[in-house]
Amino acid sequence: MLDKLRKKDLIIDSNTIAIEILKTRGYYNLINKYKSEFYIPGTTRFKENTSLTDFYWYQRLEDDLRNILFKFTITFEKKVKESMAFVLAKEFGVSINDYLDPYKFRNKSKAISITNNLKKSIESCLNNPTLYYKNEYGDVPPWIMLSNITLGQTRMLFSIFPKKLTSYVVYEMLPTKANDSRSIRVPSRLDYYVMDFMHYSHKDMENDHVFNKATQKWVSLLIEFYRNMFTLINEFRNNLAHGNRLMHYYSRQELKYSHISIYASEKVISKNEFFEKSLGKKDLFAFMMSLIITLDRYDSLYLIEQLSAWKVTNTSAPDTKKVFDSFITSCGLPSDFIERLKKIEVEKTNKQANKEFEEKYGF
């Protein structure tokens, strides 16, 4: 193997260390996985000064980044399950037959299939806390049911939520809560934009029909944006969980620039980058943006802190910085991706919300 690599111009300084690396990391997982990143374009020969150590650092970088992102994907999963469990219990009840009654959801044929599958999952589940609740109480409340199903199953259940429940979850998951001292805390965030805009707007609101139509359009826009991010996060989560490569991985779900621009200015991602280069559409940067937007303020800042620490650790020496910069390029990320993520609006003030509402719907 080493002779074969040397014939392709790969630098191997120590046979002993190289053999140890290949034995512990695996030839396929190390060489085959990353060789295209180091080949001279159009050939099967390595670029000048490429060493086996570069492959090792690439794998370490990807493993560490995968661990960081997977941790915060789990945080996202806990948050969405908590909000869904609360609204299911509040609106439908805490008994399985109540909160999984398919006739309480939209798209009845789809709802019947999804709720039946969830009921079967609960019946066959032998893991705690579901098993404990079945044996102790003969029933399983929604917050327990959700704890033992996958994120994919959770997304399918969310897809049949009626609009009232959907809106609650979306407003819990997106940074729509006002942090302005003049704002009034309401029981639900569903009417946040309506109430807030009516309170501060100086425009004529005599035409209630036009205003209500615009409000519903705004709510629908946020719901669509969240659904798209949920699907994208779920697909990346499955990729991370199976240890697959992050480089060149793309979700089947695309984000829309009109949605992203609600929270991300041109300093985060420009129209040209999105439409001409597909940056932030369904790639790793889109995944990172989705996490920042859907996590709460503290977790989003913690994610940025973790990414920053990962970068500092791997750029402290010239050699490792060179590999790091190459790895970031291979991932399709802008070199300043962390600084860009910091500029995403993780909370919005009343004035910001009002201005956006006015600009989008012409008031």
Side-chain angles (χ1 to χ4, degrees), residues 158-196:
F158 179 73
S159 73
I160 59 174
F161 267 26
K163 191 168 185 178
K164 182 180 180 181
L165 275 66
T166 300
S167 299
Y168 175 83
V169 174
V170 168
Y171 278 83
E172 286 297 305
M173 294 298 297
L174 294 183
T176 55
K177 180 181 177 181
N179 58 15
D180 192 296
S181 60
R182 297 169 298 173
S183 64
I184 300 174
R185 184 70 171 93
V186 293
S188 170
R189 299 177 192 174
L190 174 60
D191 297 320
Y192 166 74
Y193 281 99
V194 183
M195 296 177 68
D196 187 54

Side-chain angles (χ1 to χ4, degrees), residues 251-280:
S251 168
R252 291 168 294 177
Q253 177 64 59
E254 294 185 358
L255 302 184
K256 293 182 178 181
Y257 189 76
S258 58
H259 294 164
I260 295 172
S261 61
I262 297 172
Y263 299 104
S265 68
E266 289 266 331
K267 293 180 179 179
V268 178
I269 179 173
S270 68
K271 286 184 179 180
N272 179 67
E273 289 174 320
F274 185 85
F275 291 107
E276 299 299 326
K277 302 178 182 179
S278 294
L279 178 66

Side-chain angles (χ1 to χ4, degrees), residues 318-335:
D319 289 344
T320 56
K321 184 181 185 305
K322 179 182 176 181
V323 177
F324 180 86
D325 292 341
S326 176
F327 174 78
I328 293 302
T329 300
S330 295
C331 288
L333 292 169
S335 59

Side-chain angles (χ1 to χ4, degrees), residues 1-263:
M1 288 181 179
L2 298 185
D3 289 342
K4 181 179 178 180
L5 292 172
R6 281 195 174 99
K7 287 178 181 179
K8 292 185 176 184
D9 299 327
L10 184 69
I11 298 172
I12 299 174
D13 295 319
S14 167
N15 282 359
T16 302
I17 295 175
I19 291 171
E20 185 66 24
I21 290 175
L22 292 178
K23 285 175 65 177
T24 56
R25 300 283 174 163
Y27 188 92
Y28 176 82
N29 287 327
L30 191 66
I31 304 300
N32 287 359
K33 196 173 185 180
Y34 301 109
K35 62 185 180 182
S36 61
E37 309 302 322
F38 296 101
Y39 275 163
I40 298 171
T43 74
T44 57
R45 304 191 73 82
F46 294 106
K47 297 174 184 175
E48 187 178 358
N49 296 323
T50 300
S51 70
L52 185 62
T53 307
D54 294 330
F55 282 82
Y56 171 77
W57 279 110
Y58 249 57
Q59 190 177 68
R60 274 198 56 177
L61 284 166
E62 190 167 51
D63 285 347
D64 290 345
L65 180 58
R66 183 187 296 110
N67 290 337
I68 291 170
L69 295 176
F70 187 72
K71 176 171 65 176
F72 285 94
T73 305
I74 298 301
T75 301
F76 165 85
E77 182 173 347
K78 290 177 180 178
K79 184 181 177 185
V80 68
K81 286 182 175 182
E82 180 67 26
S83 62
M84 287 175 62
F86 174 82
V87 76
L88 277 173
K90 183 176 182 296
E91 298 295 331
F92 294 165
V94 297
S95 174
I96 294 175
N97 291 331
D98 290 329
Y99 68 80
L100 288 184
D101 179 357
Y103 296 100
K104 293 179 179 178
F105 295 89
R106 66 188 189 91
N107 195 336
K108 295 299 182 289
S109 59
K110 184 180 178 181
I112 290 172
S113 174
I114 291 173
T115 54
N116 282 343
N117 285 334
L118 287 175
K119 288 176 182 177
K120 289 178 182 178
S121 295
I122 296 171
E123 290 172 2
S124 61
C125 182
L126 299 177
N127 296 324
N128 287 322
T130 299
L131 181 62
Y132 172 80
Y133 270 79
K134 286 195 298 183
N135 293 336
E136 192 71 16
Y137 302 104
D139 210 336
V140 179
W143 55 90
I144 299 299
M145 180 273 294
L146 283 161
S147 69
N148 277 139
I149 66 173
T150 66
L151 184 60
Q153 289 175 305
T154 305
R155 187 184 67 82
M156 291 300 295
L157 177 60
F158 179 73
S159 73
I160 59 174
F161 267 26
K163 191 168 185 178
K164 182 180 180 181
L165 275 66
T166 300
S167 299
Y168 175 83
V169 174
V170 168
Y171 278 83
E172 286 297 305
M173 294 298 297
L174 294 183
T176 55
K177 180 181 177 181
N179 58 15
D180 192 296
S181 60
R182 297 169 298 173
S183 64
I184 300 174
R185 184 70 171 93
V186 293
S188 170
R189 299 177 192 174
L190 174 60
D191 297 320
Y192 166 74
Y193 281 99
V194 183
M195 296 177 68
D196 187 54
F197 184 73
M198 289 179 69
H199 183 71
Y200 291 105
S201 175
H202 299 294
K203 305 295 178 68
D204 186 3
M205 287 297 158
E206 292 180 359
N207 193 335
D208 290 340
H209 175 72
V210 174
F211 177 68
N212 290 333
K213 186 177 180 180
T215 301
Q216 289 305 311
K217 185 177 180 181
W218 175 257
V219 172
S220 296
L221 181 146
L222 292 178
I223 289 174
E224 181 186 4
F225 184 29
Y226 176 71
R227 288 185 189 279
N228 292 345
M229 288 192 292
F230 196 163
T231 301
L232 186 143
I233 289 172
N234 181 56
E235 291 188 3
F236 267 90
R237 184 249 186 241
N238 292 338
N239 181 67
L240 292 170
H242 289 94
N244 297 328
R245 61 190 296 179
L246 282 170
M247 293 182 299
H248 310 303
Y249 176 79
Y250 299 95
S251 168
R252 291 168 294 177
Q253 177 64 59
E254 294 185 358
L255 302 184
K256 293 182 178 181
Y257 189 76
S258 58
H259 294 164
I260 295 172
S261 61
I262 297 172
Y263 299 104

